Amino acid sequence: MTTLIEATAEGIATAAAMINAGGLIAFGTETVYGLGADATNAAAVARVFEAKGRPHFNPLISHYPNAAAAFAHVMSNERAERLAAAFWPGPLTLVLPRRPHCPVCLLAGAGLDTLAVRVPQGHVVTALLVACARPVAAPSANRSGQVSPTTPAHVLDGLNGRIDAILNSGPCRVGVESTVLDLTGPLPFLLRPGGVPREAIEAVIGPIQQGLTLAQAQATRGLRSPGLLVSHYAPGLPVRLNAADVATDEALLAFGPPLAGAGTLFQLSVTKDLTEAASRLFEGLRCLDRAPSRRIAVMPVPDTGLGAAINDRLQRAAAPREVPSNGV
Ligand code: TXA
Ligand code: MG
């Protein structure tokens, strides 16, 4: 049984004690719900992969209450310090070299000599991380390859009975995962567009290297980051992008004034507000997936700011559903 823990001071302390005892606890962040485990406990981390049904051990992000705690486990550099000052706590994940005595278990980092670190925003998650007093490894709290959860109900949809508890901090504010930026090379490399737009990062540290386009990702299976896998965030129904019209047997994911004729409709943002649209994206895909429709048609979303993260998730949701060779 998976229990729902309310985010009172007592509930947060209970959740932290469960994580520190090796349990699996889903918790809300500003982006999506994460499935948390003690990052220093390889057995607990192994249960995370098992609960999600991840076929291979992809590296997990380690979560910290503040930058000082994160940089105690990885080697920071000037760019990292500036980005941390600008965006932490917030939806940015930095990939940096592990420090020699970093206590994060190798399984959490998939045996790499780099580690992804993040300081999420929100008083519940910060209090939880302070109470744990150790890094918490947390992928999104969904079954592998499925849509990320932005409410406790979404988490239960995929993981009920497979995890110990959910710490309820209500719906997530941002709604798409963190931006993942690799700072281990000479030039910063955007591994995953996310909650902090590329333009905002470039305003702080200058030009960053373009991540793979979907076409490049399809061409190269040797991906630097498993989050770049092509089919991901996939609802059950097929997805058709850039819809200029909609059939009566299609469900419509609308952005702005909706196209006429849809069977079922979910509005991302009637005023075309990208922040609102990001926060409603995964809810919309889940909702339309339950519609008695043949397919989900998606209206075009501009590719600027948070739109890049939204389009990245939509393109993956629409990609052919082959099983990638290096897992999801
Ligand atoms: O917003 C988020 O980032 C959420 C919340 C829970 O924090 N977490 C999340 O985790 O989205 P996950 O596991 O679904 O995605 C983590 C991404 C994956 O694409 C993974 O491959 C990449 O980060 N990653 C983790 N460690 C890495 C590393 N050392 N090098 C390169 N990529 C890494
Ligand atoms: Mg995920």
Side-chain angles (χ1 to χ4, degrees), residues 5-32:
I5 301 176
E6 289 309 319
T8 57
E10 196 191 352
I12 292 168
T14 302
M18 289 171 86
I19 287 177
N20 288 356
L24 301 193
I25 312 297
F27 60 92
T29 74
E30 81 283 36
T31 59
V32 300

Side-chain angles (χ1 to χ4, degrees), residues 77 79 182-189 205 207-209 224:
N77 54 40
R79 287 189 180 109
D182 184 341
L183 291 178
T184 59
L187 268 184
F189 191 91
I205 57 165
I208 59 180
Q209 271 181 294
R224 289 180 69 173

Side-chain angles (χ1 to χ4, degrees), residues 219-281:
T220 46
R221 291 288 185 226
L223 299 168
R224 289 180 69 173
S225 179
L228 295 171
L229 285 163
V230 176
S231 174
H232 208 86
Y233 310 102
L237 290 178
V239 175
R240 179 168 74 88
L241 299 180
N242 294 319
D245 50 31
V246 60
T248 48
D249 59 355
E250 285 182 320
L252 181 68
L253 190 63
F255 182 74
L259 301 167
T264 308
L265 184 145
F266 186 97
Q267 180 59 259
L268 288 176
S269 172
V270 74
T271 58
K272 298 196 169 188
D273 177 326
L274 288 169
T275 305
E276 182 186 27
S279 73
R280 291 172 57 75
L281 175 66

Side-chain angles (χ1 to χ4, degrees), residues 3-266:
T3 53
L4 194 64
I5 301 176
E6 289 309 319
T8 57
E10 196 191 352
I12 292 168
T14 302
M18 289 171 86
I19 287 177
N20 288 356
L24 301 193
I25 312 297
F27 60 92
T29 74
E30 81 283 36
T31 59
V32 300
Y33 271 74
L35 177 54
D38 174 356
T40 68
N41 177 340
V45 171
R47 287 184 58 217
V48 169
F49 289 104
E50 195 189 325
K52 281 185 62 92
R54 273 204 195 191
H56 294 279
F57 293 144
N58 291 339
L60 305 180
I61 298 170
S62 290
H63 295 69
Y64 298 86
N66 53 58
F71 292 154
H73 292 172
V74 289
M75 251 115 55
S76 77
N77 54 40
E78 201 201 318
R79 287 189 180 109
E81 301 283 349
R82 284 165 61 182
L83 290 170
F87 299 115
W88 280 353
L92 177 66
T93 294
L94 300 178
V95 175
L96 289 161
R98 287 170 72 107
R99 286 191 186 275
H101 301 293
C102 173
V104 172
C105 68
L106 289 176
L107 180 57
L112 299 173
D113 53 11
T114 60
L115 187 67
V117 295
R118 159 159 144 76
V119 177
Q121 190 264 324
H123 68 272
V124 173
V125 66
T126 302
L128 177 72
L129 294 170
V130 167
C132 287
R134 64 189 73 185
V136 174
S140 50
N142 52 280
R143 295 294 284 271
S144 186
Q146 293 178 1
V147 176
S148 293
T150 54
T151 66
H154 296 167
V155 177
L156 284 176
D157 274 354
L159 296 176
N160 195 6
R162 302 177 72 87
I163 63 175
D164 298 304
I166 304 174
L167 181 62
N168 180 11
S169 56
C172 301
R173 180 175 62 79
V174 175
V176 289
E177 296 89 339
S178 61
T179 304
V180 181
L181 190 70
D182 184 341
L183 291 178
T184 59
L187 268 184
F189 191 91
L190 184 67
L191 291 173
R192 179 176 73 182
V196 176
R198 179 192 174 148
E199 297 89 326
I201 294 172
E202 292 191 322
V204 175
I205 57 165
I208 59 180
Q209 271 181 294
Q210 186 78 46
L212 294 180
T213 65
L214 191 65
Q216 287 169 323
Q218 276 161 340
T220 46
R221 291 288 185 226
L223 299 168
R224 289 180 69 173
S225 179
L228 295 171
L229 285 163
V230 176
S231 174
H232 208 86
Y233 310 102
L237 290 178
V239 175
R240 179 168 74 88
L241 299 180
N242 294 319
D245 50 31
V246 60
T248 48
D249 59 355
E250 285 182 320
L252 181 68
L253 190 63
F255 182 74
L259 301 167
T264 308
L265 184 145
F266 186 97

